[in-house]
Amino acid sequence: MKFKLTTIATAVMLSPAALGVAMEDIERLTVEGKYLSVNQSNSIKSPTPILDVPQSLSIMTAEEITARGITSVGQIIDYTPGVNTSQGEGHRDAVVFRGVRSTADFYIDGNRDDVQYYRALYNVEQVEILRGPNALLFGRGGTGGILNRVSKKATIDQQFVNYNVSANTFGAYNLQLDTNIDTGEDSAVRINAMYESLDNHRDFFDGDRYGFNPTARFQLSDDTILDLSYEYIDHERFIDRGIPTGANGEPVEAFENIVFGDPENNYQTLDADVFRANIQHNFSDNLKGNFNAFYGNYDKVYANFYAAAFAPETNVVTLDGYIDETERENLILSANLVGEFATGSVEHTVIFGGEFINTESDQNRLNPVFDSNGDDQEDFLVSRPLNFRGLTGTNAAGTTVTTAFSDLNDDTRVDLDVYSFYVQDEIALSENFDLVLGARFDSFDIEVFDARPEVLETRNRTDEEVSPRAGLVYKPQENISIYASYSESFLPRSGEQYANINGDADSLDPDTFTNQEIGVKWDFADSMSFTAAIFENEQTSLDNDPNDPEGFIEVDSDVSGFELQLQGYITDKWFVTANYSNLDGENASGVELRELPENTMSVWTTYQVSDVLGFGVGATYQDESFVVTATDSPVLPSYTRVDASAYYELNNGMRLQLNVENLTDTLYFPNAHSRHQATVGAPINARLSVIGSF
């Protein structure tokens, strides 16, 4: 059986051709039988056409990332249904997947990438966002969804050099290089590198990011491919945790230009070395294997002051702060086999896999101590700038104060071992019905040593969980699939960053998450597709019973909603993608969940005027949302942001591109971390890029 899967006709892909590529030039991916070519990496691990996957997912390719001038994960999220951004305390990617906030459900080539930082996109082939619990393929976490980056890999028999040079109106600029060197009939080397100088609309903001990622590919035989990769990461940036909310329960617009922090002690640094190896082997036409080794060494420092409280009547803000250090080593070994066979008239595609993870993580936190009160908080009059710099300032009472990070709040040493095994069978019951059944077993064994001198205590906990998945796909015709699915996931009580099993946490079972979803995917024309999904996510966790010091109570929350996606070419020159999601969530007390806008919408459209000239325009809308899960929560107002782009082909190897964000110069607040830390969205700004190859 041989057929073609078209990227723009795949129902859930956000992967149109790059801006300015004509309809007849759109790349098509040939599928032999049910198997994608062995060098096609994707997060669902099963080589199944996306149309037949009983789950919501979206994919944005490197070409579209470049065409839209996207430089961050957050900008991708802005145009993805069912997800929205969280502030992440100004030092990390943070995504709210269907109402579940996460800073750890990030993956690179299917390997867990859980350290908290901002991920660069210079070496990314595509970004894949799966929604709903994903424990079967990814283990614990993945409770509302996951984000997987597929890295660029060396290509045999090709020689090219691609470059991208850009600068924006804030003064930031970016340099990227992507070169592939053919080193022989059976090998190639590819080098991706980047440098970014950071700047934006906020006082004191600056920073630098470096990335260097050489890869090599070896065709060891007709059936075996080896990919090797090393990445060096060096990031440094100013930390901005936004502005307070006022008496009206919304961010104080008059403070939009004020930074509530210490210009010299709000920063993040990250140094990392990441090694990846992958072997893909075809044992036969019906059995393929994929074997991975991943090692990452991370050293991160995060220092900050922020607004902890605000008194509108006196114009006084209370500053709090801390400095965190994290040293982490991740070792991940994984393997999976994909086999195709038949039992009578029933065809099976079976995935069997296993994973071992060892994580060693040392982290500590120091709180400041102000000499004025011996506390970690101090009051200052609101001004621009605040009278606080270099750990010294004048407080609201007119007294000169100094502080130092001298109070050891946390100091833990974590050793984690995870063993996982999973199996999934995609059963072709007939030409019209597919059944997906699977389960994963995880053994999560953690040891946390509290190294504070007054504690010196070791706590251990082992969780063994089975996470099932089931799906039914009905295809009334080849271009339509109707599906229903059920899946589960869990999150141990040690949390995303593993450090906390203190108190009663080491005796509590993991939080559990279930997802039920019904959807349709329809390629209703050669170049247009539509998808829709209705879902419900439920979370169950145990917590201390306020009425019984020795007892526990079950705490539940629920998120339900639906998503719509439309994309494709209206004509051979006019492309459009549109998304809408509706989310409704509350906890067991009936309180609306934080960071859960009821309605989000986005649309992006491009038009190719001629062979050398094209335009694009888009808009993203986010409904109002609670800052915290509480009846008296401040509210982030709804907003609409308009973006635009234009390009001109100077010659066959060079393109001049202009991307404008927030074309209408709207003041908006996209997310917040807590009551008095609301992010100020960027005003109108433009990025000019020269993109080419030789």
Side-chain angles (χ1 to χ4, degrees), residues 674-691:
S674 66
R675 290 178 182 270
H676 298 295
Q677 298 156 46
T679 302
V680 181
I684 182 172
N685 64 94
R687 176 177 293 273
L688 184 64
S689 305
V690 178
I691 303 166

Side-chain angles (χ1 to χ4, degrees), residues 24 38 250:
E24 61 269 22
V38 293
E250 296 183 357

Side-chain angles (χ1 to χ4, degrees), residues 88-199:
E89 297 177 288
H91 71 102
R92 62 196 181 196
D93 289 320
V95 180
V96 184
F97 297 96
R98 289 182 173 177
V100 181
R101 184 174 59 159
S102 176
T103 65
D105 291 319
F106 296 91
Y107 295 80
I108 177 73
D109 293 332
N111 295 293
R112 185 174 292 271
D113 179 31
D114 54 22
V115 176
Q116 296 176 333
Y117 69 107
Y118 286 109
R119 290 151 181 84
L121 302 174
Y122 73 102
N123 60 344
V124 166
E125 195 67 49
Q126 63 188 34
V127 175
E128 308 166 338
I129 301 173
L130 280 70
R131 297 182 287 283
N134 291 276
L136 187 143
L137 298 179
F138 295 98
R140 87 280 182 183
T143 49
I146 67 101
L147 187 148
N148 180 54
R149 293 172 296 144
V150 180
S151 66
K152 294 177 180 178
K153 298 175 178 63
T155 305
I156 296 174
D157 295 330
Q158 287 194 25
Q159 296 265 148
F160 59 78
V161 177
N162 299 325
Y163 61 88
N164 186 332
V165 180
S166 66
N168 70 15
T169 48
F170 295 131
Y173 59 92
N174 183 288
L175 311 173
Q176 294 184 24
L177 181 69
D178 178 7
T179 180
N180 193 88
I181 304 168
D182 183 19
T183 56
E185 293 184 359
D186 300 318
S187 63
V189 173
R190 188 170 185 173
I191 299 173
N192 278 270
M194 63 87 72
Y195 169 75
E196 184 175 10
S197 177
L198 302 173
D199 204 348

Side-chain angles (χ1 to χ4, degrees), residues 19 66-67 647-650 653-657 689-692:
L19 185 65
T66 299
Y647 82 93
Y648 182 77
E649 297 284 351
L650 299 173
M654 182 180 295
R655 180 168 83 239
L656 188 66
Q657 180 174 301
S689 305
V690 178
I691 303 166

Side-chain angles (χ1 to χ4, degrees), residues 636-679:
L636 295 177
S638 62
Y639 70 89
T640 300
R641 193 189 75 220
V642 178
D643 305 322
S645 68
Y647 82 93
Y648 182 77
E649 297 284 351
L650 299 173
N651 54 51
N652 289 334
M654 182 180 295
R655 180 168 83 239
L656 188 66
Q657 180 174 301
L658 178 68
N659 294 91
V660 181
E661 183 181 82
N662 197 1
L663 189 64
T664 57
D665 200 24
T666 299
L667 175 60
Y668 69 102
F669 307 95
N671 48 46
H673 181 72
S674 66
R675 290 178 182 270
H676 298 295
Q677 298 156 46
T679 302

Side-chain angles (χ1 to χ4, degrees), residues 495-518:
E496 295 177 338
Q497 301 301 321
Y498 319 125
N500 182 21
I501 53 173
N502 296 325
D504 294 320
D506 65 345
S507 62
L508 297 179
D509 291 336
D511 295 346
T512 59
F513 300 79
T514 63
N515 178 72
Q516 303 168 74
E517 184 172 327
I518 299 173

